[in-house]
Structures are given as structure tokens and as C-alpha cells.
Amino acid sequence: METAERTALGVTDPLRLFLEHSEGCDAIQRRIIEVQSHPDKSKHLRLIPTPEAARLLRISESHLRGLIRQDGWPEGTVVGAGNRRAFTLAEVNEIRRRLFAATGDARYRVGRDRARGEKLVTVTVANFKGGAAKTTHSVHLAQYLALQGYRVLLIDLDSQASATSMFGLVPDEDFDRLDTLYRLFTLDEGSRTASLADLARPTYWDGLDIVPANLGLYSTEFEVPVRQMRQRELRFWRVLADALPSIDDRYDVVVCDCPPSLSYLSINAVMAANLLLVPIPPSMLDFSSAGRFFRMVHETLETLAAAEGGRVKQFDAVRLLVTKYQTSDANQTQLVKWMGAVFADTLMTNRMALTTGLDNAGNMKQSYYELEASDVNRRTYERGLDYLNSVNAEIESVVHDIWGRSGGEGAR
């Protein structure tokens, strides 16, 4: 490839320079994935050791060992001396299904109970400021729910496609823009599809699919206003919500990772949500930005209500999550106390602390749930895992409340 002509102070062909840098970033990202995913150049979820599998299943290790000795039950893989075994997530989920079928105990239920009217829950993770850990928590929430046996769809609505990249994909090489949510919004009726199910791609996590994003998704922001002018009846703010029924029979929970802006895509994700989750780092700048976020959401919902005959968008729950919390920072501690006084029940009890382990996982292009305990200091690893699991378990309990489950029923 030709290189952009450069001068002492800059470049004479910036278009070529930016294209070079874009392609260079893709090449480096591909190389990272190949190194980490040797030998077959695709990411895999680590095997789950017996003690961890037993905790996920809520049974004792001895009970699990007894089960796998029975005919037809997943046996796992021998991974060390003494016949120590580990399991794939698919095997853990199969054991869950068999336990539920054998006992009828709600603790082993995999996913929602449609017979009781438990509906598809859409969790939208949104904040219009970058750096609030939206993508980090969207990915970890989706993976946590998958570990608990739920069927999850993660929708990447950010053209930067960080969530997509976390699953070992190179967005602008692996996908066309018609592989993204752009396909629901495009002006071209021949390319448009009414089925969100067509866009869902399986990941290497059992039970977790993704609707990917790439740079082409940003074209949505230009096409929607033009389409609205041509189709006066189009409710552009409900395109995603109207597409959700096509996946209702396939998933228990949908997680939407929003871009850091008030965009057509963000508005759609908010309007599709049962549960709106707003991550807020405890700093004055982030807190000020969050105030503007709530003001903009208020004004947007008010405007859309007028367009819908006065019908205001309703949520089953709204939660604020403190992220990037530095437990030793007295100023942050004070700010969190003020947040608790102001936001009361809306503020989540658990907070996501800033940990070395979480940073290390991101640097290795892995989620925290994909790390081996040996990848970081064990004490640091367990501390970060405790924070992450506590936050996600609290969100899971909100999902159970939306389903109307009684206290403790099916709790993990």
C-alpha cells in the first residue's frame, strides 16, 4: 500500500493517512487475536474447573462428581492429576437442564418461565459520556447471565464496536454494515429486514449471541431522518422495540450497549428497555455529565410522548451503577454518599470498583470472566470477581423482580 506523503509539520494527504491508520489498527487487532487464540485463530472460553462449576450449579463438588459418573451426564475433561476435571459452559448448562428436569427445583431453572408469563427483559446500558464503563459492563453483564444459564443477546449499538471486538471479532473486516442494526433502519427496502433474529450471531459463549457493530452502523444517523421524511408514518424511535418480538422465543435477556451520544440508536435502545442501567463514575465531571444525560432523556421522552398521543415511555426499573470506584479515595466516597441520599432506591447497593485485574483483562482483550485465576495475582483476581459478581447478581435480582419471582426463587 502506498503511504501518505508527509512533510516536516504534517501530511499533504490526510485522507490517505487516516485510512492507513485505520487499516493498521485492524491489522494489529487481528494479530492480537491470532496470538491469543493460537492455534486455530479463534477465541474460546476457558474450561470451568469443578469447584467453579459446582458453585454455578449451586451443588456441592461431591454431588457434581456423583452426577458425572452417571450414564449420559456430561463428564467434563480431565485436566490434571488425580482425575481433576473441568467443564465447558455448554456442559454446565446441560447439567443444569438435567437437574431441573429431575427435581423441578427452581434453583436449577435455565432461563425464564414463559408459562408464568415471564417476559423478555431488555437491559439498556446508557450514558451519553464516554469513559463511564458502558461497554465493559454490558459485556460482563451478558457473560454473567450466560454463566447462570440464561439465553442472552448482546446488541452492540456503538459504531466503535468495542463490545463486538471483545468477542475476538474484527468489526470492519468480519462484517458488512448490513450485518449490523443498520439493516433495520436503512432506506433501501430491498436490504431491510424486519427480523432481528437474522442479525444475531453465536459467540464462543454457550447461550450468548451478539448483534455486531462496525463503522458502517454510523450511517444510521444519516439515513433515519431521510427515511422519516419519506415515510411520515415511521416511528423511528421504536424500530428496535418493534423488532424484539422476532427474538422473543430465543432469549431471556437482551443487553444493549449504547454509543456515548444522544443518537437515533441510543433513543431506540432507551425506548426498547425494560431496565435502564446508567453507569456513573464518581467524579464531578462524570456526575455533571450524568445530570445532563437525565435532562436530555427527560426532554426526549417528553417530545416522543407528544408524538404518541401523550403516552409516556414506561420502565419496569431504572438503576444507577457506580463504576470505576476507588475505595481509598475519600472524595469519591463522599460523592457516593451524596448520590445515595439523592437517588435513594434508584442507586444500586453494589459498586464496581476500579481494580488492577479488570484493567489487565482489558489489556489482554479478554473479559474478567475469561481470565484464568493464574493470569493475575489471586487475591486481586478474587477481589475483582467479588465486585463484578455482586453488581451483576443485583441486576439479576432486578430482572427477577420484573418477572415477579418471589424472594430467593431462582436466585443465584
Side-chain angles (χ1 to χ4, degrees), residues 136-195:
T136 297
H137 206 75
S138 296
V139 170
H140 284 93
L141 174 60
Q143 292 180 346
Y144 169 87
L145 293 171
L147 285 170
Q148 311 311 315
Y150 301 96
R151 294 182 300 171
V152 185
L153 178 64
L154 174 62
I155 302 180
D156 192 348
L157 295 100
D158 188 351
S159 59
Q160 296 181 73
S162 297
T164 301
S165 298
M166 285 291 290
F167 287 89
L169 304 166
V170 181
D172 295 304
E173 290 186 13
D174 294 341
F175 305 107
D176 181 84
R177 66 180 178 178
L178 290 175
D179 296 321
T180 74
L181 275 188
Y182 169 84
R183 189 171 175 183
L184 297 181
F185 293 87
T186 179
L187 281 163
D188 182 0
E189 293 185 18
S191 298
R192 197 184 311 148
T193 177
S195 176

Side-chain angles (χ1 to χ4, degrees), residues 50 53-54 57-76 85 87 91-92 94-100 102-103 108:
T50 296
L57 293 165
R58 305 185 76 200
I59 60 178
S60 67
E61 292 182 45
S62 60
H63 188 182
L64 177 56
R65 292 191 185 99
L67 290 175
I68 65 177
R69 285 195 291 267
Q70 299 178 27
D71 290 340
W73 287 69
E75 299 179 351
R85 292 177 179 269
F87 302 84
E91 289 175 322
V92 172
E94 176 61 21
I95 294 171
R96 273 199 187 99
R97 283 187 282 270
R98 288 172 176 266
L99 282 169
F100 181 66
T103 67
Y108 309 130

Side-chain angles (χ1 to χ4, degrees), residues 176-398:
D176 181 84
R177 66 180 178 178
L178 290 175
D179 296 321
T180 74
L181 275 188
Y182 169 84
R183 189 171 175 183
L184 297 181
F185 293 87
T186 179
L187 281 163
D188 182 0
E189 293 185 18
S191 298
R192 197 184 311 148
T193 177
S195 176
L196 188 60
D198 294 340
L199 302 176
R201 304 296 183 97
T203 71
Y204 52 91
W205 280 72
D206 185 64
L208 173 54
D209 296 345
I210 188 170
V211 174
N214 64 14
L215 192 59
L217 180 60
Y218 191 71
S219 300
T220 302
E221 303 305 317
F222 302 105
E223 296 220 13
V224 167
V226 178
R227 184 179 168 193
Q228 180 71 63
M229 287 189 293
R230 295 182 183 178
Q231 298 174 259
R232 295 295 184 179
E233 75 285 359
L234 176 69
R235 299 189 304 170
F236 69 83
W237 56 93
R238 288 195 177 273
V239 172
L240 178 57
D242 290 343
L244 288 175
S246 73
I247 57 155
D248 183 81
D249 63 338
R250 296 174 60 172
Y251 302 102
D252 304 307
V253 181
V254 175
V255 179
C256 294
D257 179 34
C258 289
S261 62
L262 180 60
S263 63
Y264 291 113
L265 289 167
S266 295
I267 292 171
N268 267 269
V270 170
M271 293 298 287
N274 306 101
L275 167 56
L276 181 62
L277 180 66
V278 184
I280 306 175
S283 73
M284 288 308 300
L285 286 176
D286 287 289
F287 194 64
S288 175
S289 175
R292 289 176 174 80
F293 166 79
F294 290 121
R295 174 69 65 179
M296 293 171 75
V297 170
H298 165 81
E299 293 176 353
T300 300
L301 295 184
E302 192 173 50
T303 300
L304 295 179
E308 295 197 329
R311 182 162 62 99
V312 178
K313 161 67 183 175
Q314 299 295 311
F315 300 93
D316 290 310
V318 176
R319 292 292 184 271
L320 278 60
L321 168 64
V322 174
T323 58
K324 297 187 172 181
Y325 180 49
Q326 299 183 51
T327 56
S328 60
D329 189 317
N331 291 329
Q332 289 196 0
T333 300
Q334 182 60 59
L335 184 55
V336 170
K337 288 181 180 178
W338 290 341
M339 291 171 70
V342 171
F343 299 124
D345 294 340
T346 306
L347 185 68
M348 289 181 57
T349 302
N350 291 285
R351 304 151 192 167
M352 190 59 230
L354 191 64
T355 68
T356 303
L358 196 59
D359 282 346
N360 288 344
N363 292 337
M364 292 186 285
K365 215 171 186 59
Q366 290 181 304
S367 75
Y368 208 87
Y369 290 124
E370 293 171 338
L371 286 180
E372 301 277 359
S374 58
D375 290 336
V376 293
N377 175 275
R378 173 167 285 278
R379 185 174 179 181
T380 299
Y381 172 79
E382 291 179 350
R383 176 172 173 266
L385 194 61
D386 284 344
Y387 277 115
L388 200 55
N389 284 339
S390 296
V391 165
N392 286 327
E394 185 174 348
I395 297 170
E396 182 188 16
S397 72
V398 177

